[in-house]
Amino acid sequence: MNSELTLAHLALTQYGLAQIKTLYDEEGSAEAALSRLGRRFPSEEAIVQEEIEWCEKNNVRILTISDADYPDRLRHCPDAPMVLFTRGKADLNAQHIISIIGTRKCTQYGRQVINDIVKDLAQQRPDILVVSGLAYGVDINAHRAALDRGLSTVGVVAHGQDTLYPSLHRNEANRMCLGNGGVLTEFFHGTRSLAPYFLQRNRIIAGMSDATLVIESASHGGGLATARMAQEYNREVLAVPGPVNAEYSQGCNNLIRDNRAALVTSAEDIMHLLQWQDASVVSAKRSHGVERQLFPSLSPDEQRVVDALQQGDLQTNALAIQTAIPIGALTALLFSLEMKGMVKPLSGNVYHLI
């Protein structure tokens, strides 16, 4: 862990530049980005060395943006963090990831919807990873529902790994870390949660997921900011409608009304919109030995996907960004291309052009 590469990534976080990811992408490495900034190891090197030592002592893993286990969906976002600090055993590159967010004043209606949807998702796609923010309301109810149904779940927090806010959720956080979930953050230990940090962490929730599901939100709720980020990342946004006069359904209803989110009332809606077909159905179709057509007829969107994959294997979200095709539609196109014998899926939701 004490490699110069890790030090370089941690050092970049100390500059706090909004365009640091752009700089990293342009230079191709953390060391080159630091060199362009004029310093190989900045004066804050002691701070980053201290962080490395603290993480080693406290069983916190440091994931840099160049690591294979870094969330690949997030890696392709223009403002992805250089470093994540993680606890737990969650696969941050699971094949199916959904974030569930909403108001901190979750009603009985919201709790019922969460439990029903998560229960049905667990039955239909037990490999799903549920992401939320470990906050009051919708967040903690989503985590609890996932835990109770045996789903992996990850909480993204707005502070360092040496604390937990709210502390009342420590039991759930421990259950997540001891199971197949976890807690992650981009903040050094000693960082306390401040209002701007919650908005920062929301981009991670949106960026590491295939889709963001909003369950109850006021007309100007924080969940709407996460939904907007998901849209900017070309991810699917889903929303559960509510009574027209309910304060904490106005945000969801408005998203649906303005065509900024797909209407969801059940797990079946999610499976359909995201094309998360049952594995047995896909396996059955593949077992029939669908042969590649010699001259397959491709739609314009299918051709865009093929053209992008000619440059090399791509993870689904990277492919969505390159083709400007929403994840739900892209998944359907990839399945169609697979049935035509044009592409094949690899581990980590990566696709290869045959």
Side-chain angles (χ1 to χ4, degrees):
M1 185 178 285
N2 270 305
S3 69
E4 286 195 1
L5 183 60
T6 301
L7 278 169
H9 282 86
L10 286 166
L12 276 180
T13 68
Q14 300 302 295
Y15 282 92
L17 300 177
Q19 67 272 26
I20 202 70
K21 174 62 162 51
T22 301
L23 177 63
Y24 172 85
D25 289 340
E26 289 175 351
E27 295 299 322
S29 72
E31 293 105 322
L34 277 177
S35 178
R36 181 166 158 185
L37 288 169
R39 303 285 285 278
R40 181 167 178 76
F41 291 108
S43 58
E44 294 87 351
E45 182 183 353
I47 296 175
V48 301
Q49 185 62 53
E50 177 187 352
E51 186 67 18
I52 289 175
E53 294 172 358
W54 186 90
C55 289
E56 288 176 341
K57 291 177 182 177
N58 291 277
N59 198 31
V60 172
R61 186 179 180 192
I62 300 176
L63 279 180
T64 73
I65 197 170
S66 62
D67 289 333
D69 291 340
Y70 185 97
D72 198 54
R73 297 163 174 84
L74 180 62
R75 192 196 321 269
H76 296 285
C77 297
D79 52 359
M82 290 291 104
V83 173
L84 293 172
F85 303 98
T86 73
R87 289 193 296 127
K89 298 177 289 184
D91 177 6
L92 304 179
N93 287 301
Q95 190 168 1
H96 305 95
I97 303 180
I98 187 168
S99 60
I100 300 178
I101 60 168
T103 180
R104 298 191 179 199
K105 298 180 180 180
C106 188
T107 69
Q108 178 57 40
Y109 168 73
R111 289 190 290 272
Q112 187 63 55
V113 168
I114 292 168
N115 287 329
D116 289 346
I117 286 179
V118 172
K119 178 186 71 174
D120 291 343
L121 282 176
Q123 292 175 346
Q124 298 183 55
R125 288 249 55 126
D127 60 341
I128 285 175
L129 173 64
V130 174
V131 179
S132 199
L134 262 172
Y136 293 112
V138 169
D139 286 18
I140 193 60
N141 279 280
H143 290 306
R144 287 170 179 162
L147 287 167
D148 291 345
R149 299 295 172 178
L151 292 178
S152 299
T153 182
V154 165
V156 184
V157 295
H159 50 69
Q161 288 281 13
D162 57 327
T163 187
L164 186 72
Y165 176 81
S167 59
L168 287 174
H169 299 163
R170 189 170 298 280
N171 179 58
E172 287 83 0
N174 289 337
R175 287 177 64 193
M176 291 156 67
C177 291
L178 290 173
N180 291 319
V183 175
L184 67 85
T185 183
E186 66 178 309
F187 298 103
F188 280 37
H189 83 280
T191 305
R192 296 298 176 259
S193 52
L194 300 175
Y197 296 165
F198 288 99
L199 190 60
Q200 278 187 239
R201 71 91 189 266
N202 288 351
R203 83 190 195 284
I204 298 175
I205 293 174
M208 67 180 291
S209 306
D210 295 308
T212 293
L213 172 62
V214 188
I215 299 179
E216 289 200 311
S217 172
S219 59
H220 295 88
L224 301 183
T226 309
R228 184 176 62 252
M229 293 174 185
Q231 287 179 314
E232 292 172 353
Y233 296 152
N234 205 29
R235 309 297 161 80
E236 294 288 348
V237 177
L238 318 173
V240 173
V244 294
N245 295 322
E247 178 182 0
Y248 295 108
S249 289
Q250 289 182 13
C252 292
N253 291 344
N254 291 345
L255 283 173
I256 297 167
R257 179 198 65 197
D258 298 337
N259 293 319
R260 291 185 289 133
L263 186 152
V264 163
T265 61
S266 65
E268 286 74 16
D269 290 342
I270 296 172
M271 299 288 290
H272 172 72
L273 288 164
L274 300 181
Q275 294 294 309
W276 284 354
Q277 295 190 355
D278 183 87
S280 63
V281 174
V282 177
S283 178
K285 289 187 177 182
R286 290 173 183 161
S287 68
H288 281 82
V290 180
E291 297 181 356
R292 178 173 179 172
Q293 302 173 22
L294 291 177
F295 302 100
S297 176
L298 301 181
S299 69
D301 282 346
E302 286 176 331
Q303 189 62 56
R304 284 161 64 190
V305 173
V306 168
D307 291 344
L309 287 174
Q310 285 180 341
Q311 308 303 315
D313 298 348
L314 287 171
Q315 200 270 344
T316 306
N317 289 286
L319 193 54
I321 292 171
Q322 286 202 23
T323 59
I325 299 173
I327 286 291
L330 177 61
T331 306
L333 290 169
L334 287 168
F335 184 75
S336 173
L337 288 169
E338 185 182 354
M339 292 303 98
K340 292 179 179 179
M342 296 289 295
V343 304
K344 68 176 181 179
L346 307 176
S347 60
N349 226 19
V350 173
Y351 278 82
H352 171 76
L353 184 65
I354 299 174

